[in-house]
Amino acid sequence: MLLTRVMTAAVALPIVAVAAWLGHPWLTALVTLALGAGAYEFARLGLRAGHQVPPPLCAAAAAVLALEAGATHGRFRPALLAALLLGWAIWYVFHAHSPTRTEAWAFSALSSFYVGYLGSHLVSLRLLPHGLSWLVLAVVTVWVSDTGAYLGGRQWGRAKLAPHLSPNKTWVGALVGLLSALLGGAALAWAGGLAVRHGLAIGLLVGVVCPFGDLIISMVKRQVGVKDSGSLFPGHGGMLDRLDTLLFVGPLAYYYATLAAGAA
């Protein structure tokens, strides 16, 4: 199992690193594919819950949001969000025949908004001045935090953080993850030419807020009775399993960089 996870990461990480380095349009294309796949898996969870959800349309809606972020720098994002919400409403007026049509509408809209809208901020983050440094700071700090939380929880964790959603997460793991995020964020900011205080701020956001991204997807998976959202990555689960925390860090880092750090 561990060997499979390592081999999958060894193939995927260089692709992600090269796309991030090159920026638009390569990163936009990669994020578009990833968000489309994530929204498709999210919609499939809705199907398992018994709702009439169209996975291909959900994937397309999320992908369009990522494409728009790269092509127009998010200029038409509010209009696109309004159009998608209205479009989903009209779709279910004519196509929904199940007794849970309202829940299906909510699930479809959520798949495109939660996955597509939040995830599209990863593209927007790369387009900022010093965008590569901001993107690396956000994404790698998540990985450092996750690794610290896993190792700390496995070694010392006893009290469960949210056993009704994720039985393996512990309070000690969360604390070690927070400390790892702070240290890792400070180091990454310094290495990327950003102020260390920005690294500490991103580390704090990652350590405190981003674990909820994992817990929210765990909540949905537990409700429909599955362990992973898919099987796209051997040993790692589906695309949504890889995106869950990044969906939180994308907008958090983007709005911190534009509002607090003045990177716009």
Side-chain angles (χ1 to χ4, degrees):
M1 181 66 172
L2 179 59
L3 179 60
T4 302
R5 291 175 64 91
V6 171
M7 291 178 63
T8 301
V11 173
L13 287 179
I15 297 174
V16 174
V18 170
W21 176 267
L22 295 175
H24 180 75
W26 303 103
L27 181 65
T28 300
L30 182 63
V31 173
T32 297
L33 291 173
L35 297 184
Y40 186 91
E41 292 176 356
F42 194 92
R44 292 279 297 177
L45 295 177
L47 285 177
R48 288 185 63 93
H51 306 308
Q52 187 185 354
V53 183
L57 289 181
C58 294
V64 165
L65 284 164
L67 285 173
E68 189 277 334
T72 74
H73 291 215
R75 187 180 310 126
F76 301 107
R77 184 179 283 156
L80 183 56
L81 289 172
L84 285 173
L85 184 58
L86 293 174
W88 279 123
I90 294 170
W91 169 268
Y92 277 101
V93 167
F94 289 103
H95 292 85
H97 306 290
S98 72
T100 61
R101 60 182 68 88
T102 302
E103 290 87 343
W105 173 35
F107 216 103
S108 296
L110 189 61
S111 70
S112 53
F113 288 8
Y114 186 75
V115 180
Y117 172 67
L118 295 183
S120 69
H121 286 83
L122 293 169
V123 176
S124 300
L125 188 64
R126 178 62 179 88
L127 293 171
L128 292 175
H130 307 292
L132 179 60
S133 294
W134 282 110
L135 183 65
V136 170
L137 171 61
V139 173
V140 178
T141 299
V142 168
W143 294 341
V144 170
S145 178
D146 285 348
T147 301
Y150 172 77
L151 295 176
R154 187 173 182 179
Q155 182 70 28
W156 301 295
R158 295 294 182 270
K160 303 298 182 181
L161 179 62
H164 57 297
L165 297 178
S166 183
N168 294 324
K169 292 189 179 300
T170 65
W171 283 102
V172 170
L175 179 59
V176 175
L178 172 60
L179 294 175
S180 300
L182 290 170
L183 294 174
L188 288 164
W190 176 81
L194 300 173
V196 171
R197 68 179 184 276
H198 297 326
L200 291 171
I202 295 297
L204 181 63
L205 290 172
V206 166
V208 174
V209 181
C210 286
F212 289 96
D214 182 25
L215 291 173
I216 287 171
I217 298 302
S218 295
M219 176 182 69
V220 179
K221 292 188 294 185
R222 182 169 287 266
Q223 181 174 335
V224 301
V226 298
K227 180 180 182 294
D228 297 320
S229 65
S231 56
L232 184 61
F233 300 110
H236 290 265
M239 180 62 76
L240 192 60
D241 296 311
R242 298 300 92 208
L243 288 174
D244 51 10
T245 309
L246 295 178
L247 295 178
F248 267 46
V249 77
L252 287 173
Y254 175 77
Y255 291 115
Y256 174 83
T258 56
L259 298 177

